[in-house]
Amino acid sequence: MTGLLTWLILLAVFTALVLGLQSQGGAVSVWWSDWRVDFALSTGLFLLAAILVFTTWLNRSWRWLFDLPLRWKAHRAKQQDLQRVRALSDLGLDFAEGRYARVLKGAEQFDRQFEDMPGPRQAVMRWVFAMAARAAHALSERPVRDLYLKRLDEGNPRDLPHPQLKPLLEAEFALDEQRGQEALAALAPVMQSDRKHIYAMRLVLRAHEQAGQWMEVLRVTRLLDNRKALHPAVVRKTKARAFSALLKQAGQQVKATQGVIDLLSRDERHDPELAALASKALLAFGLQDKARSLLESGLRQGLDDRLLEAYAECHDAPAEQYANLEKWAVGLPRTATLHWALGRLSQAQGLWGKAHVHLEQALNLRPSLKVCLALGETAHEMGDHEKALAYWRRASEMLR
């Protein structure tokens, strides 16, 4: 609308100028051989403008007709590009929805659709082949999966976009089939780069777990934790699993067990699960003082049940330990585990009456076999054999 208004204004100005010149008089004569044509100046100007407009229109019309094949070719190319984008989006959405059979069917058609795109074809086809390989893996079609993995290397190896794609896929497939060592071998070239790939490091973590390389599991978990690349709950569980496996590998060797415990950082020593595992390993060797020191550093932070369970069996200085628990428990709810720990420490001091009170409260809060057995022991020590038999009978009923 603005363009039309502009042209109307220009036409009005041109007409006003021509009429203004005509008011001063003037004529135009055109001679052609013996022919002569006379007309007014305004008519000549209008005729000249009409010829100019017609010539411009004729030139543009000719160019439009001349460019018609090119425009038709461009239109077809645009439609083909739209079809390719639609096909790619359908393939990606089918993969996201888990429609893997459709993904494999769609991947077979992409060679023809992208054969005349030498530039981006290789990158697009590698993406398609990667999705097809994952889809075939999900459908347990290993020959098809291996075929698409081979096709990932098609083209010039030096110009392959995203060269880490194939090793990552091979590692994923190996991990799903519980082949940790093969996954590590596939990931080796990826992990040689200076800038570590977070996703590759997660795969390496899984591979080390499957291979039973628990020292490496601990190292990689710490690296991922420093980069905030794992949820804190996952970090704690993974560290506990690795630490427990390392303690088992240490076996009955005190030095080896102490070496594993020394691997723990200061923050890890305050983790209740890790501290409980370490203290139980020390208690197995009778190292009560070291276990107590480790447990108390965590208990000062909070009376966690896992630490209390271990503390109940640590009898380095039972009276002092009992007093510490009472001090740390001020203002906190008395849980079954806390009463259990207080009862066991009272047993260690020979205070059978006090132990019986705490163990009874623990049994009321959470009945369990070990509490019944401990109550039977305290009743027997206090000379109440009938009551001891009743507790032991209740314990036997829990076993059924």
Side-chain angles (χ1 to χ4, degrees):
M1 190 67 181
T2 304
L4 178 60
L5 183 60
T6 303
W7 283 108
L8 288 174
I9 292 173
L10 291 174
L11 181 59
V13 171
F14 176 72
T15 303
L17 289 173
V18 171
L19 294 177
L21 290 172
Q22 185 61 47
S23 65
Q24 304 296 325
V28 177
S29 295
V30 178
W31 294 83
W32 180 263
S33 186
D34 295 334
W35 296 85
R36 174 183 172 184
V37 180
D38 295 321
F39 43 81
L41 177 62
S42 59
T43 304
L45 291 175
F46 283 127
L47 184 61
L48 184 63
I51 292 172
L52 180 62
V53 171
F54 176 75
T55 305
T56 303
W57 173 81
L58 189 63
N59 180 54
R60 290 193 175 184
S61 299
W62 172 254
R63 289 180 60 187
W64 184 84
L65 290 172
F66 184 78
D67 292 341
L68 190 59
L70 294 176
R71 282 204 305 278
W72 174 249
K73 188 177 181 180
H75 174 72
R76 289 193 61 186
K78 183 178 180 181
Q79 292 300 316
Q80 191 175 14
D81 288 343
L82 289 175
Q83 289 178 358
R84 289 167 177 159
V85 171
R86 190 179 299 113
L88 279 172
S89 62
D90 288 341
L91 189 75
L93 291 172
D94 285 338
F95 183 81
E97 289 180 350
R99 302 179 185 273
Y100 300 126
R102 287 189 187 181
V103 173
L104 292 178
K105 186 176 179 181
E108 295 173 0
Q109 305 171 1
F110 274 84
D111 270 335
R112 297 191 302 273
Q113 291 179 331
F114 284 85
E115 61 186 359
D116 59 340
M117 292 183 66
R121 181 182 185 278
Q122 192 175 32
V124 172
M125 293 312 300
R126 278 173 65 80
W127 178 41
V128 172
F129 293 154
M131 283 194 289
R134 281 194 170 106
H137 177 74
L139 295 173
S140 299
E141 297 185 10
R142 293 189 62 181
V144 179
R145 180 197 73 185
D146 295 340
L147 174 64
Y148 279 114
L149 278 176
K150 288 181 181 177
R151 298 192 68 182
L152 281 172
D153 291 335
E154 289 181 355
N156 188 354
R158 296 181 180 178
D159 299 332
L160 283 178
H162 300 281
Q164 296 179 344
L165 179 60
K166 186 177 180 181
L168 290 173
L169 287 175
E170 290 175 339
E172 286 180 21
F173 301 154
L175 287 172
D176 288 344
E177 295 171 354
Q178 299 297 310
R179 294 182 283 115
Q181 290 289 359
E182 290 185 28
L184 287 172
L187 290 168
V190 180
M191 299 304 294
Q192 285 175 357
S193 60
D194 294 334
R195 187 174 179 82
K196 295 297 185 288
H197 191 306
I198 292 296
Y199 181 63
M201 289 177 67
R202 288 179 175 175
L203 294 178
V204 167
L205 176 61
R206 287 178 57 195
H208 283 309
E209 283 191 82
Q210 289 185 8
Q213 299 172 355
W214 298 106
M215 197 72 75
E216 286 299 306
V217 169
L218 203 58
R219 182 184 68 82
V220 177
T221 302
R222 287 167 175 167
L223 288 174
L224 288 170
D225 186 28
N226 290 338
R227 297 190 180 195
K228 308 298 181 186
L230 288 176
H231 192 278
V234 176
V235 172
R236 288 195 297 271
K237 290 296 181 184
T238 306
K239 284 183 178 180
R241 195 158 53 246
F243 187 61
S244 177
L246 287 171
L247 288 174
K248 285 181 182 178
Q249 288 177 0
Q252 301 299 317
Q253 300 178 17
V254 180
K255 220 177 240 189
T257 301
Q258 187 62 55
V260 172
I261 294 173
D262 290 341
L263 293 174
L264 295 177
S265 65
R266 183 177 179 183
D267 291 336
E268 289 169 346
R269 287 172 182 269
H270 290 158
D271 181 88
E273 192 161 1
L274 296 179
L277 287 171
S279 61
K280 287 176 182 178
L282 292 171
L283 289 173
F285 293 109
L287 302 175
Q288 304 278 346
D289 54 341
K290 291 185 177 181
R292 177 189 172 187
S293 175
L294 187 62
L295 287 167
E296 288 185 348
S297 64
L299 286 169
R300 290 189 185 94
Q301 308 294 325
L303 299 184
D304 188 274
D305 283 355
R306 290 163 292 187
L307 296 177
L308 288 171
E309 288 281 357
Y311 201 59
E313 308 307 322
C314 178
H315 303 151
D316 180 48
E320 188 177 342
Q321 291 176 246
Y322 183 95
N324 286 337
L325 278 185
E326 287 285 10
K327 180 176 63 176
W328 295 330
V330 173
L332 298 176
R334 296 293 179 112
T335 63
T337 311
L338 177 59
H339 281 299
W340 164 255
L342 291 170
R344 291 291 290 167
L345 290 172
S346 298
Q347 280 183 317
Q349 300 174 66
L351 304 175
W352 303 109
K354 184 184 286 189
H356 194 82
V357 171
H358 284 299
L359 292 172
E360 277 281 5
Q361 290 176 335
L363 186 66
N364 292 334
L365 290 171
R366 189 174 63 208
S368 69
L369 175 65
K370 65 180 182 180
V371 176
C372 286
L373 292 174
L375 281 168
E377 182 185 355
T378 57
H380 179 74
E381 291 293 336
M382 290 188 297
D384 194 343
H385 302 294
E386 186 176 343
K387 204 169 186 181
L389 286 173
Y391 283 122
W392 287 332
R393 193 176 297 113
R394 186 174 176 181
S396 65
E397 290 174 355
M398 289 183 180
L399 290 172
R400 294 175 187 173

